[in-house]
Amino acid sequence: MSAPSPDMRAPSHRTDTVLGLVVTALGSAILIGALAMPRFEHRSADPLTVPGITPGLLGAIILVLGVILTIRGASRRSTDAALSITHWTPRAVKRTAFTLAALLIYGFGLFGNLPFVPATAVFIFGFTVTVELMRADRRASLAQTLLGAAVLAVVASLVIWAVFSKVFLIQLPG
């Protein structure tokens, strides 16, 4: 039995390949831009504090993930339509719309208008509770969901703040 031809791949695999190439190009552009930023060697700056370190690391991660997605999409031979992004269930549309709305509220409403830790904690808490309540297979009680989301929100927002402000030396709002 021979392998199916590339033309018989599922649309999702073509989408993965094309999107992987786009993500790879984006990661490459970010990495190139970060490498072009000044390094302040003439000032004997610490290499971990130069302006391009964080965008460079993020660009490299995006680049690697893009390559992985491209390889995965190019190597698939399955015709399983369950993986296709062209056929959305109503629940998937609802979750995606909620995610976009929540990110816009965080980005334009909370971030910069409140100190970073409370803004991020409110976002993580609200997002987690809402997504959990959207799940049809949720097993946790409402009290467990609220408590878990609160712990996650506080711990995650403090860890994110610590990593960015103490490790990457990025000044966050508030």
Side-chain angles (χ1 to χ4, degrees), residues 46-50 53-54 57 158-172:
D46 180 358
L48 294 177
T49 64
V50 298
I53 191 77
T54 302
L57 290 172
L158 288 171
V159 168
I160 293 166
W161 172 82
V163 168
F164 278 89
S165 65
K166 303 298 182 190
V167 177
F168 293 128
L169 303 174
I170 294 173
Q171 188 173 358
L172 296 169

Side-chain angles (χ1 to χ4, degrees), residues 87-97:
H87 303 288
W88 289 41
T89 66
R91 285 182 44 205
V93 170
K94 187 172 151 182
R95 285 190 312 263
T96 302

Side-chain angles (χ1 to χ4, degrees), residues 54-159:
T54 302
L57 290 172
L58 294 174
I61 291 168
I62 292 169
L63 171 67
V64 168
L65 293 174
V67 169
I68 291 169
L69 183 60
T70 302
I71 292 168
R72 187 183 95 171
S75 66
R76 291 268 173 101
R77 302 280 188 233
S78 171
T79 57
D80 183 6
L83 297 174
S84 176
I85 66 166
T86 58
H87 303 288
W88 289 41
T89 66
R91 285 182 44 205
V93 170
K94 187 172 151 182
R95 285 190 312 263
T96 302
F98 167 71
T99 300
L100 289 173
L103 289 171
L104 289 171
I105 289 168
Y106 177 68
F108 292 109
L110 298 173
F111 191 81
N113 294 321
L114 290 175
F116 179 80
V117 172
T120 303
V122 165
F123 168 74
I124 292 171
F125 178 80
F127 187 87
T128 303
V129 169
T130 305
V131 168
E132 281 298 312
L133 293 176
M134 286 180 171
R135 291 182 54 188
D137 62 342
R138 182 173 63 94
R139 293 189 180 130
S141 69
L142 181 59
Q144 290 172 318
T145 300
L146 293 172
L147 180 61
V151 170
L152 174 67
V154 170
V155 171
S157 62
L158 288 171
V159 168

